[in-house]
Amino acid sequence: MELPSNLFDALQRIQGFLPETGAVLHEPRFVGNESKYVQDCIATGWVSSVGSYVDRFESDLAAYTGVKRAVVVANGTVALQVALELADVRPGDEVLIPTLSFIATANAVMHAGATPHFVDSEEKSLGIDVPKLSAYLDSVAEKTSVGVINKKTGKRIAAIVPVHIFGHPVDLDALLDLGRKWGLVVLEDAAESLGSLYQGKHTGSFGRLSAVSFNGNKIVTSGGGGAILTQDEALGKRAKHLTTTAKIPHAWEFVHDEVGYNFRLTNLAAALGCAQLEQISTFVEKKRRLADEYRSLLKGISGFKLLQEPSYSKSNYWLNALVLDTSFQKHRDDFIQRAHEMKVGVRPVWKLLHSLKMYRDCPRSDLSVAEKLERSVICLPSSPFLAGGRRT
Ligand SMILES: *Cc1c(COP(=O)(O)O)cnc(C)c1O
């Protein structure tokens, strides 16, 4: 199929804006204290599961996001898994998650022994459509003495996990209200939204527990890593204990009081993370500038919209995305193919989770908006250093 001229025009403008060598979707840059802190780990021998950078990364994260406690762990997926377990999600339970998310959200629910129950998204934030979820719960759920029961499956619905897709915050007030109404705990998957604000406060500080990620493609990276955030000191303490083999502190005895996990982040990784976190304000600023630049670059071209932060929020714009108009959806794959030939590293949004073979039989609501979004969302190269455009 020939690419329509408006979409080709958009691609050409993007290509002209990006470095001559092209650009991938997202890549890290280490221009701060990364080498210094990592060298320090090597010089002192503190490279492994304890060390001063682990403690510092945790306190820096808590201070930055405004939570009482941050516990760093091996990755964002296990952060979410442990958050679910600490929120008393039990084997056999169902957990409400958007079908439009990265695979980790569903996998964490499964690793916690529960079943994902997929819900729909809305077009503004790409996050959970709260009014639609509310109407859905009214039709399928029942509040009983043992919790909220799914009338179709007979299982307990234990939690809601909103995901702040591409950094854009979900309407948290509405979602937290819905959680309170039903007695359902809200856990934020804030893996993509570190640095994003909902009504002036950090995403990740609203849920009973939240998960963030420091994977290599996220806004700050520790090589690989994640964190559990919480406003509840006792839960924070439990999170640390459970993710560090549940060992009772003692100078030499090995006493463990439950089946814990070895989900610790290494001091080496934490050192990288500390140096990256020092720069997060600059990264957020640059990403927001890049979003503005894409907006002016593509102004006047019809056929798609650039995704914009919801009015109640200040987004970290982790990934910039364009949403094709319905009549141009059929050109999505050609657009992506053509972009790759032009070294413009665009990507489609994830395949919807409920369509993957492991999750095909899971309970779900109507998912028509997510299905439409799946066909129309294309992510653009979004590394912070792309802000400012081609420098020749
Ligand atoms: C990256 C990501 C995760 C998981 O993080 P990892 O550190 O890669 O395990 C979870 N949820 C979402 C939405 C993500 O984008």
Side-chain angles (χ1 to χ4, degrees):
M1 223 186 306
E2 238 340 74
L3 199 61
S5 62
N6 58 334
L7 295 185
F8 187 66
D9 186 18
L11 258 184
Q12 278 192 314
R13 289 196 201 176
I14 294 170
Q15 186 195 35
F17 172 80
L18 296 174
E20 234 152 331
T21 47
V24 299
L25 191 68
H26 201 285
E27 58 180 318
R29 277 267 161 114
F30 304 112
V31 294
N33 287 318
E34 288 88 348
S35 299
K36 185 173 158 209
Y37 295 171
V38 170
Q39 285 295 335
D40 184 40
C41 294
I42 295 166
T44 59
W46 291 97
V47 295
S48 192
S49 53
V50 290
S52 60
Y53 288 106
V54 171
D55 298 337
R56 178 172 155 193
F57 197 21
E58 290 183 341
S59 53
D60 288 356
L61 273 167
Y64 176 68
T65 55
V67 299
K68 290 252 165 61
R69 186 78 164 89
V71 174
V72 294
V73 291
N75 56 61
T77 311
V78 299
L80 195 54
Q81 177 192 333
V82 171
L84 288 157
E85 291 181 18
L86 290 178
D88 205 28
V89 170
R90 296 189 291 261
D93 286 345
E94 292 176 7
V95 176
L96 299 162
I97 66 168
T99 187
L100 186 84
S101 183
F102 178 56
I103 189 75
T105 316
N107 286 351
V109 170
M110 292 293 277
H111 293 321
T115 304
H117 184 152
F118 297 109
V119 299
D120 208 8
S121 304
E122 50 94 18
E123 299 188 47
K124 269 205 187 116
S125 68
L126 303 190
I128 289 182
D129 182 330
V130 180
K132 187 166 179 174
L133 173 57
S134 175
Y136 176 64
L137 284 174
D138 286 340
S139 73
V140 298
E142 186 174 32
K143 219 169 165 176
T144 74
S145 58
V146 292
V148 180
I149 301 297
N150 178 341
K151 289 188 280 188
K152 283 192 192 152
T153 61
K155 292 191 175 177
R156 188 174 80 116
I157 299 174
I160 312 175
V161 180
V163 184
H164 307 298
I165 303 286
F166 305 155
H168 302 314
V170 165
D171 187 355
L172 281 162
D173 276 348
L175 192 79
L176 291 165
D177 274 350
L178 184 66
R180 269 189 294 272
K181 178 180 159 194
W182 283 93
L184 289 170
V185 59
V186 173
L187 306 167
E188 291 175 79
D189 181 341
E192 304 180 357
S193 66
L194 187 65
S196 294
L197 307 179
Y198 175 79
Q199 293 183 350
K201 282 163 72 178
H202 280 268
T203 57
S205 68
F206 292 86
R208 183 176 301 169
L209 298 130
S210 304
V212 296
S213 168
F214 309 115
N215 191 37
N217 61 349
K218 296 287 166 37
I219 188 156
V220 294
T221 184
S222 57
I228 300 162
L229 308 181
T230 182
Q231 299 288 15
D232 183 322
E233 303 256 21
L235 278 177
K237 241 177 132 172
R238 286 267 301 129
K240 186 70 182 177
H241 188 64
L242 193 60
T243 54
T244 57
T245 72
K247 184 177 181 293
I248 308 283
H250 190 281
W252 65 84
E253 290 283 16
F254 290 99
V255 181
H256 305 259
D257 63 354
E258 61 186 309
V259 183
Y261 294 107
N262 177 15
F263 282 166
R264 288 181 282 222
L265 189 71
T266 66
N267 201 48
L268 263 179
L272 195 67
C274 283
Q276 286 264 289
L277 193 61
E278 288 173 348
Q279 304 163 72
I280 191 167
S281 301
T282 317
F283 293 160
V284 172
E285 216 175 278
K286 287 193 174 178
K287 277 173 167 293
R288 292 180 57 80
R289 183 140 56 91
L290 181 62
D292 283 343
E293 287 166 353
Y294 272 131
R295 206 166 305 286
S296 22
L297 192 69
L298 300 174
K299 207 171 169 170
I301 305 183
S302 62
F304 57 84
K305 281 194 301 285
L306 272 165
L307 198 67
Q308 212 166 344
E309 65 191 353
S311 55
Y312 48 68
S313 69
K314 185 175 172 194
S315 176
N316 71 1
Y317 279 93
W318 173 57
L319 288 185
N320 282 283
L322 49 84
V323 186
L324 296 172
D325 293 351
T326 312
S327 55
F328 287 96
Q329 283 170 11
K330 58 178 179 288
H331 302 291
R332 187 197 79 164
D333 291 353
D334 288 320
F335 182 91
I336 294 170
Q337 176 69 40
R338 198 64 191 259
H340 277 250
E341 287 160 15
M342 292 161 76
K343 298 202 188 83
V344 176
V346 304
R347 298 283 294 269
V349 72
W350 314 283
K351 284 211 183 306
L352 298 181
L353 297 174
H354 76 278
S355 71
L356 301 176
K357 69 175 184 207
M358 317 76 87
Y359 294 119
R360 223 169 259 166
D361 298 325
C362 292
R364 66 177 93 145
S365 72
D366 171 81
L367 301 170
S368 50
V369 176
E371 279 160 357
K372 182 179 156 203
L373 289 167
E374 180 188 35
R375 295 188 295 268
S376 53
V377 175
I378 299 175
C379 298
L380 303 176
S382 296
S383 305
F385 60 83
L386 297 175
R390 182 176 294 186
R391 294 167 198 101
T392 43

